[in-house]
Amino acid sequence: MTNANAAVVEISQTASKFTSSIVLQFENKYIDVKSILGLFTSLMSGSTYELHIHGPDAEEAKAAMLEVFKKHNLQVTVKE
């Protein structure tokens, strides 16, 4: 499995543990990070991404998602 594939799978699996909505913004696109296919099409560009996290477990989801993105050397910011 390539590094990009491993990142996509781990990001999706991590997001699926939470009930909160977790959306990745890339340019003018919004992708549900629980969707592996959506992630494959957006994480290949190596840009900076924005996460929008809303829901009952948003704080826990934010911490977990930041950790996974950092682990895979992906630049992400969380929008409040």
Side-chain angles (χ1 to χ4, degrees):
M1 187 179 294
T2 67
N3 286 349
N5 291 349
V8 166
V9 170
E10 189 170 355
I11 289 167
S12 180
Q13 287 177 342
T14 301
S16 293
K17 296 176 184 177
F18 301 97
T19 57
S20 290
S21 168
I22 306 172
V23 176
L24 182 74
Q25 181 181 355
F26 166 69
E27 294 175 348
N28 292 331
K29 300 175 189 155
Y30 292 86
I31 296 107
D32 180 348
V33 296
K34 296 176 186 177
S35 163
I36 288 179
L37 183 59
L39 284 173
F40 271 117
T41 61
S42 61
L43 285 182
M44 301 302 170
S45 62
S47 294
T48 300
Y49 307 97
E50 292 180 356
L51 279 176
H52 300 263
I53 304 173
H54 304 282
D57 53 2
E59 287 304 313
E60 296 89 348
K62 176 181 171 181
M65 296 309 298
L66 287 174
E67 187 175 311
V68 173
F69 273 81
K70 182 179 178 183
K71 175 182 174 183
H72 292 283
N73 296 314
L74 295 167
Q75 300 297 316
V76 68
T77 57
V78 177
K79 289 296 181 183
E80 300 298 328

